[in-house]
């Protein structure tokens, strides 16, 4: 069935260091892979996404890589700042005529000042 | 442009009761999805509605149901509440195809506590 695994579940880094979160997905029909950031008590917000025809995408300090053959995708945050502290979720679309996303279980990132 | 609006923001119920949650999508969005979020479980897909029809359904018992109205507003209902139904229920609306990559725009959610 459809499944997205996400690791690690918690990640603590020093301010200025890099953070990497990894996900794997099971559905070969998936073509869209977004990443959401959720701060405490707030709604999930899209921070970056990538489609299967692209291997890497970057937006300032955030980058996402995709290996469709291995069904892996990763989020990279460089020069982390305390305001990056949040829960990050990866997701994969279910394919077909639906907006359904299958989410990973989340990574709690703590950036220590 | 107003975002996705969910009401109520907080809800406290007791076991056995039923509850109805409401979601107003972004203007022009005809697809509405519902997710259940619990600690450690991430976001679990409940169902998706498009043009008043359920387009997709997750693996939740029949106690969970939903509907969509002609103005695209959606409601979800949970009957015979159980303690395990305590969660944040998130609604998300989606733009028409071809209007950008972002698929889901989330509301702030309804925090349901079942006592």
């Amino acid at each position: 069935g459809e499944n997205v695994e996400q690791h690690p579940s918690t990640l603590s880094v020093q301010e200025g260091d890099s953070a990497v979160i990894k996900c794997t997905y099971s559905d070969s029909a998936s073509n869209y892979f977004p990443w959401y950031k959720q701060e405490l008590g707030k709604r999930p917000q899209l921070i970056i996404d990538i489609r299967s025809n692209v291997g890497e995408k970057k937006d300032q300090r955030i980058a996402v890589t995709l290996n469709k053959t291995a069904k892996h995708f990763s989020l990279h945050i460089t020069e982390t700042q305390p305001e990056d502290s949040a829960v990050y979720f990866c997701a994969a679309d279910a394919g077909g005529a639906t907006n359904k996303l299958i989410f990973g279980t989340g990574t709690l990132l703590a950036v220590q000042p | 442009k107003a975002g996705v609006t969910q009401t109520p923001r907080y809800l406290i119920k007791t076991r056995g009761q039923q509850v109805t949650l409401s979601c107003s999508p972004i203007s022009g969005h005809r697809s509405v999805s519902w997710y259940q979020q619990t600690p450690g479980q991430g976001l679990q897909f409940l169902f998706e509605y498009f043009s008043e029809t359920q387009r997709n359904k997750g693996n939740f018992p029949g106690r969970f149901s939903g509907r969509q109205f002609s103005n695209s507003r959606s409601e979800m209902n949970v009957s015979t509440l159980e303690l395990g139904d305590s969660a944040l229920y998130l609604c998300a609306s989606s733009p028409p195809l071809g209007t950008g990559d972002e698929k889901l725009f989330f509301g702030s959610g309804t925090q349901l506590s079942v006592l």
Side-chain angles (χ1 to χ4, degrees):
Chain A
E2 306 158 333
N3 187 48
V4 174
E5 292 189 2
Q6 181 172 349
H7 300 281
S9 57
T10 60
L11 181 59
S12 181
V13 299
Q14 291 295 122
E15 183 177 358
D17 287 349
S18 295
V20 180
I21 303 170
K22 298 184 178 182
C23 290
T24 59
Y25 63 99
S26 61
D27 191 348
S28 299
S30 296
N31 284 306
Y32 175 68
F33 308 91
W35 287 86
Y36 288 85
K37 175 183 180 182
Q38 187 177 29
E39 297 176 357
L40 190 62
K42 296 191 175 181
R43 73 190 74 190
Q45 292 201 304
L46 180 72
I47 54 172
I48 195 167
D49 55 17
I50 191 168
R51 289 201 172 269
S52 58
N53 57 349
V54 175
E56 184 174 358
K57 184 176 179 181
K58 188 173 182 180
D59 183 4
Q60 298 183 339
R61 298 185 296 108
I62 296 173
V64 58
T65 58
L66 171 65
N67 182 331
K68 196 158 169 63
T69 302
K71 296 182 184 173
H72 291 170
F73 58 114
S74 300
L75 177 71
H76 304 253
I77 305 174
T78 58
E79 301 172 20
T80 52
Q81 301 167 3
E83 51 264 39
D84 293 330
S85 296
V87 178
Y88 291 81
F89 292 96
C90 63
D93 73 334
T98 175
N99 291 301
K100 176 184 177 181
L101 294 179
I102 303 108
F103 284 84
T105 50
T107 296
L108 175 60
L109 173 64
V111 180
Q112 309 297 333
Chain B
K1 201 174 192 181
V4 178
T5 304
Q6 289 188 249
T7 56
R9 186 71 178 91
Y10 301 95
L11 207 48
I12 299 175
K13 293 286 187 178
T14 56
R15 280 178 298 173
Q17 288 187 310
Q18 74 165 13
V19 67
T20 299
L21 312 181
S22 180
C23 173
S24 294
I26 293 171
S27 177
H29 289 192
R30 294 168 60 193
S31 168
V32 173
S33 302
W34 290 88
Y35 288 82
Q36 181 195 66
Q37 184 176 19
T38 53
Q41 290 295 313
L43 284 77
Q44 302 289 316
F45 174 78
L46 281 154
F47 25 66
E48 177 191 7
Y49 286 87
F50 178 78
S51 292
E52 302 178 66
T53 301
Q54 189 180 86
R55 182 154 74 174
N56 215 329
K57 189 177 188 303
N59 297 321
F60 279 82
R63 300 185 296 108
F64 292 81
S65 62
R67 58 179 177 168
Q68 186 179 34
F69 303 95
S70 58
N71 62 356
S72 294
R73 189 177 70 86
S74 178
E75 289 181 346
M76 68 162 282
N77 184 276
V78 188
S79 62
T80 321
L81 284 166
E82 301 177 359
L83 295 178
D85 296 333
S86 295
L88 179 67
Y89 290 88
L90 289 162
C91 167
S93 71
S94 302
L97 289 175
T99 56
D101 277 341
E102 189 166 356
K103 275 183 178 267
L104 300 182
F105 292 77
F106 284 97
S108 296
T110 294
Q111 183 67 54
L112 172 64
S113 297
V114 182
L115 307 179

